[in-house]
Amino acid sequence: MSLPKREVEELRPWVERTVKKVLGFSEPTVVTAALHCVGKGLDKRKTTDQLRPFLDDSAGGFVERLFEALEESRSSRGKGDKSRKRDIKIKQMMEAATKQIEERKKQLSFTPSVPSSLDQMSRLLGASAGGGVGSTLAPSQAASFMNDAIEKARKAAELQARIQAQLAMKPGILGAIGNTGPHNVVALANLHAMGIAPPKVEVKEVNKPTPLILDEKGRTVDASGKEVELTHRMPTLKANIRAVKREQFRQQLKEKPGEELESTSYFDQRVLVPPSQRPRKTFKFHDQGRFEKIAQRIRTKAQLEMLQNEIAQAAKKTGIQASTKLALIAPRKEIGEGEVPHIEWWDSYILNADTKFEELELFGVTNLVEHPAQINPPVDTDKPVTLGVYLTKKEQKKLRRQTRREGQKELQEKVRLGLMPPPEPKVRISNLMRVLGTEAVQDPTKVEAHVKAQMAKRQKAHEEANAARKLTAEQRKEKKVKKLKEDISDGVHIAVYRIRNLQNPAKKFKVEANASQLYLTGTVVLHRDVNLVVVEGGPKSQKKFKRLMMHRIKWVEHSSKRDDTDADNDTKRNNKCWLIWEGTAKERSFGDMKFKQCPTESMARDHFKKHGTEHYWDLALSHSVLETADD
């Protein structure tokens, strides 16, 4: 149930105090959200969900306390309504009594501005008794009126004093005690004139805010002159609150442990405690000769590159290694749009830089196009492909019925010719009475035993037939191998993968185990930055192995403290697998999957040359060199 705005505002001070106790500082955003939930009449669960982004785990306890305070305020509000009605009734009685006194004063010719003292009353009574001019009342009648007025004034003053004492506890209802109206002044003056002591009322001191005192420098000080630190405004956003808490936690960490902490048995002297203040920044001077060493290193590197180029040129001329052509690939120069280079970059290795194309003598080059002779593929793929026949559910059921009908006809013919006895009726417990009829009525126990024996006989025959059809362990193994092994008579599918780093034993095991399980053959050559994996097998096995290499295995490895060098760390972080080539061949070139460690390029190429597949290595090496040139 929703609350009126006045009652919600009455809860505001308590909510502010509770928020300050939970968070450690005042937070207007949380106070407004809590009062909004209470004003809308939300239940505890919804209120907790609304306040959880502000209070985190303490939202549940805060909501419980909020609803307890709400119940207490409702119960106290009922009592306050009763006291308020009583105060209003007393006020109405006071106004009626004051009105009657004023009317009596007017009848007795009293002026309202002059206070009614005892001497004036005596003079008026004497004047009325002497029968002065203007007096129309008898002395006895005037005396009775005066006594009644004095008694009512005394009672009214006592009643007002009690009311003011009660209202002093609630300054917001009818004003403070000091703000006495004109009727209360008249009543107190009448009591004083009649010699009646007014009732004593204990006035409760109202707490007032401390006055703001500033000294000549503009600082806030107290009454004694000491400087006072004012409460700073705290952040309201959740991110700012977390930043303040984080900064406070860092300050606590920077504080040095006290002597009491060092004296305990849990204090470890080996742990370094950071200083409370950040050390002052100073100049950092480079060591003498540092930049000279860097320059010398750059010059040495340039000389080494020049020497490598000369060696590569010599190797190219002598034909030591075919792959050295790719080692000198230079980055392509920026060529403007429409500009034709003098010599293409792939021709620069054959022609000298100073050679002009017009001066070249080209032998055997004509304007005719040469068409190379066509070679038949090693595998004949022109065989007609036959598709299987697929039947619908209805056609499958019809075919089954026809097959069973043919079998039943054959059995019926044998029975009719006397070649085999007629089959026994298939009796079950459910069709017992319908099949046997009168026999079941004559001796039901015997018939039931006969039926159960027949059912057990049929079950046994069924199990024996299943056991006879069951495959042996060797047959099951052969069936599984036949399912995995594919027909490669039409050609062997081959895939070549290059991996930058294959030193991890777990990844080696995955490659070898999956190749053996999929009945793939091939080899793995381990060389720096050129780890080659060649697999041969059927198309289905190749598809599964390709998914293993390209997706399932995570080749990138995170560095750890046990890594050897920075170069190895960089290689493992940037590790990757590439599919260099895939195609078909007429037959397999390798046996079971085996690993081969080749420290030099010549050893790796010789290993592939033994199996007649050295082009695999040349392709992978060129891919590696091109990748290095792009980097």
Side-chain angles (χ1 to χ4, degrees), residues 136-174:
T136 59
L137 294 175
S140 60
Q141 189 176 4
S144 64
F145 284 158
M146 187 58 65
N147 292 333
D148 293 340
I150 291 170
E151 185 65 25
K152 288 182 179 180
R154 185 180 65 81
K155 290 182 178 180
E158 292 179 359
L159 188 57
Q160 276 195 350
R162 287 198 300 270
I163 291 172
Q164 293 297 333
Q166 292 181 0
L167 295 180
M169 307 300 178
K170 303 175 182 178
I173 300 177
L174 293 176

Side-chain angles (χ1 to χ4, degrees), residues 172-296:
I173 300 177
L174 293 176
I177 281 180
N179 301 329
T180 56
H183 301 295
N184 194 22
V185 173
V186 174
L188 293 176
N190 291 336
L191 289 177
H192 182 71
M194 290 182 290
I196 303 172
K200 295 181 180 180
V201 180
E202 295 180 359
V203 181
K204 186 177 180 181
E205 295 183 1
V206 180
N207 294 329
K208 296 182 179 179
T210 306
L212 181 63
I213 305 173
L214 301 176
D215 59 0
E216 61 275 4
K217 295 183 180 180
R219 298 177 299 181
T220 306
V221 296
D222 56 4
S224 61
K226 295 181 179 180
E227 186 179 356
V228 179
E229 289 289 339
L230 296 178
T231 305
H232 297 285
R233 180 182 175 275
M234 299 299 292
T236 57
L237 293 177
K238 199 72 175 176
N240 296 340
I241 294 172
R242 290 173 180 165
V244 171
K245 290 183 177 180
R246 196 181 301 114
E247 188 64 28
Q248 293 175 356
F249 182 70
R250 288 176 181 172
Q251 292 295 335
Q252 293 176 1
L253 290 179
K254 290 181 180 179
E255 294 178 359
K256 291 185 177 180
E259 297 179 357
E260 297 180 359
L261 179 61
E262 293 182 1
S263 62
T264 59
S265 59
Y266 302 105
F267 183 76
D268 191 356
Q269 296 288 346
R270 297 171 295 176
V271 179
L272 298 178
V273 179
S276 58
Q277 296 181 353
R278 186 166 55 182
R280 185 178 179 182
K281 291 185 177 180
T282 58
F283 289 105
K284 294 182 179 179
F285 297 98
H286 293 289
D287 297 334
Q288 185 177 2
R290 178 173 180 270
F291 294 101
E292 295 177 0
K293 293 180 181 178
I294 295 174
Q296 183 64 29

Side-chain angles (χ1 to χ4, degrees), residues 516 566 615:
S516 62
D566 295 339
H615 51 282

Side-chain angles (χ1 to χ4, degrees), residues 76-128:
S76 62
R77 194 182 304 115
K79 297 178 182 179
D81 293 341
K82 294 180 182 178
S83 62
R84 194 179 299 110
K85 291 179 181 177
R86 185 172 66 253
D87 295 340
I88 294 171
K89 189 173 182 181
I90 293 171
K91 184 180 178 183
Q92 292 175 356
M93 290 172 62
M94 285 292 298
E95 291 177 354
T98 307
K99 190 175 181 181
Q100 287 181 357
I101 291 170
E102 293 296 329
E103 291 177 356
R104 294 295 176 88
K105 286 180 181 179
K106 289 179 181 179
Q107 292 177 2
L108 295 174
S109 302
F110 282 97
T111 58
S113 61
V114 180
S116 56
S117 63
L118 186 57
D119 297 334
Q120 290 171 343
M121 290 179 189
S122 62
R123 285 198 300 270
L124 289 171
L125 289 173
S128 62

